[in-house]
Amino acid sequence: MNPSCTFHPPWWARGGDFQTIWAPFFARSGPVDFRREIWGTPDGDQVAVDWVDASADAPVLILFHGLASSSRGHYARSLAAGLRQRGWVGCFINFRGCGGIDNLLPRGYHAGDSVEIHWMLERTAALFPRRARYAVGVSLGGNALLKYLGEAGDAARKNLERAAAVCAPIDLVATAEYLQSSHLRFYNQYFLQKMKSSVRRYKARYPDMADWPRVFSAKSVYDFDEYFTAPVHGFSGARHLWEEGSAAPLLSHINVPTLLLNSADDPIVPINSLRNVQISPAVTRCITEQGGHVGFIDGAFPGHLRWLPNTLLDYFERKSIP
């Protein structure tokens, strides 16, 4: 299938920055009514899983969220509304320390943690062995999902029928360096403050977990990853983390049908890092001209977020993409 990636925002919602910033705060995304479970991890930690329930034979969609987000992100709420409309089950998995609960071990999550994706998908497959299962990864979660799919190859077919990655930073080095640009200072500081806030609870519990003065004096995402994310997860530094964690080199090994959806005006993920990446025949590349970073606002003011869930679910149902 060669989809026509045509997303046309309304006149009042044009531009990647506007789409990116407006969507999480003002666009209509639908009500949220999740059922929560707590899953134990293979190493003795815990994560929160939020469910959209449906009938006993309904397809299952697993969602992996983005950096400093959760199952309550604007895209998650709009996707939940889309699932309810079609009668599908939603399994929205929060990474460690996200979703309003503390994890139990001195570690967090990162964009290349495909091992985490693996056990989560294995557990979901064990819960629903006879149902069609699909996965969506958004931004950071998209890169982690793609990395798993590339590493697993044919073996991923036992866990998923199809997958999709939305605005995934598949070249983490290029994305991180892009965020250091002076014209993107707002996004760099936004993510940095969210990341600092998310790890403050670790400081009292695990005083030796990181070099806390350096973590909290970080001036950039690079600094934060250099002094927290990388050493906590066994990497020698930020660049080592980004190089090892990038999904781009593995896209040619993916065998599960996968939609790679990005927008050309994404102000966070540089589009040039995506255009010439080698992909397997199983991957469908879809680059819209507009949409921002997980924005895709449509409709009359103040806008709604139905385009993205409809596009994803149509792909999973093997319908043409608008």
Side-chain angles (χ1 to χ4, degrees):
M1 178 174 58
N2 294 309
S4 173
C5 296
T6 54
F7 168 71
H8 299 296
W11 64 268
W12 59 269
R14 294 185 176 275
D17 288 317
F18 188 94
Q19 285 270 329
T20 301
I21 296 168
W22 186 267
F25 299 109
F26 304 109
R28 298 185 297 270
S29 55
V32 178
D33 184 20
F34 291 128
R35 174 179 59 84
R36 172 157 287 194
E37 288 182 353
I38 305 299
W39 284 2
T41 70
D43 58 352
D45 210 335
Q46 64 179 10
V47 296
V49 181
D50 290 322
W51 292 91
V52 177
D53 292 318
S55 64
D57 60 348
V60 179
L61 186 145
I62 304 108
L63 175 69
F64 301 106
H65 63 77
L67 177 64
S69 187
S70 72
S71 61
R72 304 299 172 115
H74 63 285
Y75 50 84
R77 297 194 304 272
S78 63
L79 183 56
L83 292 174
R84 290 191 193 96
Q85 186 175 22
R86 300 198 193 201
W88 285 32
V89 170
C91 175
F92 292 8
I93 305 178
N94 293 277
F95 290 120
R96 301 195 195 206
C98 300
I101 70 164
D102 281 341
N103 53 311
L104 307 175
L105 299 178
R107 62 152 293 175
Y109 66 99
H110 60 89
D113 200 350
S114 52
V115 174
E116 198 84 327
I117 300 292
H118 188 180
W119 78 258
M120 291 170 170
L121 291 177
E122 293 260 314
R123 177 156 182 171
T124 310
L127 290 172
F128 304 101
R130 295 180 178 84
R131 300 202 210 177
R133 297 179 302 278
Y134 309 95
V136 175
V138 176
S139 194
L140 173 149
N143 181 80
L145 175 60
L146 292 169
K147 184 169 179 281
Y148 159 75
L149 292 171
E151 290 169 343
D154 278 333
R157 291 179 176 271
K158 68 179 182 179
N159 290 326
L160 291 172
E161 187 168 329
R162 286 191 165 208
V166 180
C167 298
I170 59 173
D171 184 337
L172 295 173
V173 174
T175 301
E177 290 178 347
Y178 188 60
L179 277 174
Q180 310 309 312
S181 304
S182 59
H183 69 288
L184 295 178
R185 189 172 300 162
F186 167 81
Y187 296 108
N188 182 71
Q189 290 303 308
Y190 172 80
F191 284 121
L192 180 61
Q193 293 310 313
K194 295 277 282 187
M195 291 156 70
K196 286 182 180 180
S197 177
S198 71
V199 302
R200 286 190 186 280
R201 64 187 183 283
Y202 290 120
K203 184 178 179 182
R205 293 162 56 199
Y206 305 111
D208 299 324
M209 181 179 179
D211 186 339
W212 293 116
R214 282 187 164 180
V215 170
F216 293 117
S217 63
K219 303 296 186 209
S220 66
V221 170
Y222 172 87
D223 292 343
F224 185 90
D225 281 351
E226 180 77 7
Y227 300 126
F228 182 82
T229 316
V232 164
H233 297 101
F235 296 93
S236 61
R239 193 170 185 89
H240 183 214
L241 167 71
W242 300 337
E243 290 173 346
E244 291 296 315
S246 294
L250 297 162
L251 297 188
S252 61
H253 302 301
I254 293 175
N255 289 322
V256 171
T258 300
L259 179 65
L260 186 62
L261 174 60
N262 293 84
S263 64
D265 68 351
D266 188 327
I268 293 171
V269 178
I271 196 61
N272 288 338
S273 67
L274 296 153
R275 291 193 186 278
N276 298 318
V277 173
Q278 185 178 356
I279 60 176
S280 84
V283 177
T284 299
R285 196 196 313 260
C286 174
I287 300 178
T288 63
E289 291 185 7
Q290 301 184 65
H293 188 73
V294 202
F296 303 107
I297 304 163
D298 204 357
F301 185 88
H304 62 73
L305 301 174
R306 293 192 292 271
W307 185 89
L308 180 58
N310 286 339
T311 297
L312 295 173
L313 295 176
D314 283 351
Y315 173 75
F316 294 146
E317 290 185 327
R318 295 172 176 78
K319 298 177 183 177
S320 61
I321 295 176

